[in-house]
Amino acid sequence: MKYALVTGSSRGIGKAIAIRLAKMGYPVLINYLKNKEAAEEVVATIIANGGQAELMPFNAADGKAIEAALDAWESAHPDDYIAVLVNNAGIRKDNVLFMMSDEEWHEVLDTTLNGYFYLTRRLLKHMMPRRRGGRIVNMASLSGVKGLAGQSNYSAAKAALIGATKALAQEVAPRQITVNAVAPGFIETDMTKDLPQEELKKLVPVGRFGTAEEVAAAVAFLVSDEAAYITGEVININGGLYT
Ligand code: NAP
């Protein structure tokens, strides 16, 4: 069976993507860091809607934890492989650069960028043999396309992810693997709940924050068979805020 793995799918955008991919027929691996209860609810929702899902907890910033989780899954699933990877886990630790601590810099880079590196390298082992093909979608951000004040760490991580997307797309295209990114603007999730939404939505031409489901719809398209000729691309999902 062909599985999909969505990092950070206990909440927010990752949860909406997991639910959407399950509706497309993929058994989905629900990854999280701390929030087991929320992750179990996502599994229950998918199963209640006739889909398949199981938990796969690991810290996306920890290469050894990723290896251990994948080794265990492969032993339990000798005839299955992971054909879809959505590198979605991410955190914000905003600060102006001159005040930014080592921890704020490294934690954001480690989660987004090192997480991408460790997990994608590991899962190419599933996608590359016998030209089985695959789909990789990376969760970038408006912050990585435009740069946002107070987010040097986050903008750097997301911009690097876009560069990594374009490089890998060219490496693996002959193996029928596509690698794309989506770059959301302001999306209503826990990550943005501390932001002044009333003020910020005035900046958005569409006049509102986006929904996690609107991001999931673009990811579902990139994962679909119809998107086989789209690779190395970044889809902006920002209500016209910046293109
Ligand atoms: P969120 O609501 O804060 O959810 C974050 C998710 O990532 C949770 O499932 C969390 O797991 C998981 N996570 C965090 N660190 C992790 C780690 N080290 N290992 C594994 N899982 C980890 O965030 P969101 O708004 O849905 O954002 C999802 C992605 O979209 C992020 O990459 C973010 O940068 C990007 N993005 C968001 C927006 C926005 O406006 N919301 C805009 C542009 C881009 P736990 O539940 O266990 O904590």
Side-chain angles (χ1 to χ4, degrees):
M1 288 234 283
K2 289 203 247 182
Y3 276 70
L5 167 56
V6 184
T7 64
S9 46
S10 48
R11 293 184 283 127
I13 294 171
K15 172 181 174 178
I17 293 169
I19 290 171
R20 183 77 195 236
L21 295 184
K23 280 190 188 142
M24 288 170 78
Y26 285 102
V28 185
L29 301 170
I30 305 299
N31 164 254
Y32 64 96
L33 180 61
K34 297 180 222 149
N35 225 318
K36 186 172 187 203
E37 204 175 312
E40 283 174 341
E41 276 173 32
V42 178
V43 170
T45 301
I46 289 173
I47 291 172
N49 286 300
Q52 293 179 62
E54 58 189 86
L55 297 180
M56 186 188 270
F58 56 75
N59 179 352
D62 181 343
K64 289 198 170 63
I66 288 171
E67 287 295 324
L70 267 295
D71 287 350
W73 187 83
E74 285 165 3
S75 304
H77 292 260
D79 299 325
D80 301 325
Y81 73 101
I82 297 171
V84 174
L85 168 61
V86 184
N87 286 302
N88 166 78
I91 55 169
R92 266 177 60 206
K93 299 261 171 189
D94 297 355
N95 210 341
V96 287
L97 188 72
F98 85 100
M99 302 276 286
M100 191 171 280
S101 67
D102 290 3
E103 289 73 26
E104 285 166 341
W105 177 263
H106 287 296
E107 280 178 28
V108 170
L109 269 287
D110 285 353
T111 305
T112 286
L113 196 55
N114 294 353
Y116 160 81
F117 168 63
Y118 292 130
L119 188 56
T120 307
R121 181 179 64 177
R122 182 63 166 75
L123 285 186
L124 284 172
K125 282 187 196 162
H126 285 225
M127 299 178 190
M128 291 188 42
R130 301 188 297 280
R131 296 168 71 89
R132 283 195 289 208
R135 293 279 188 270
I136 299 169
V137 182
N138 296 320
M139 192 57 60
S141 169
L142 170 73
S143 187
V145 179
K146 177 187 176 289
L148 286 180
Q151 290 199 321
S152 284
N153 48 359
Y154 188 85
S155 295
K158 296 298 191 181
L161 193 57
I162 289 172
T165 298
K166 294 182 179 205
L168 183 63
Q170 293 169 63
E171 282 179 29
V172 299
R175 304 284 188 137
Q176 321 304 328
I177 301 167
T178 68
V179 190
N180 291 289
V182 294
F186 294 118
I187 307 300
E188 227 176 315
T189 67
D190 289 346
M191 186 178 273
T192 52
K193 70 181 177 202
D194 63 329
L195 298 179
Q197 188 171 148
E198 286 310 307
E199 284 306 305
L200 289 172
K201 73 185 191 188
K202 291 180 196 152
L203 304 173
V204 184
V206 165
R208 61 172 176 85
F209 276 27
T211 66
E213 288 72 24
E214 286 170 320
V215 179
V219 173
F221 170 64
L222 290 171
V223 165
S224 71
D225 289 344
E226 288 88 341
Y229 205 56
I230 301 174
T231 196
E233 193 51 75
V234 183
I235 300 186
N236 291 290
I237 309 168
N238 58 33
L241 183 57
Y242 184 87
T243 49

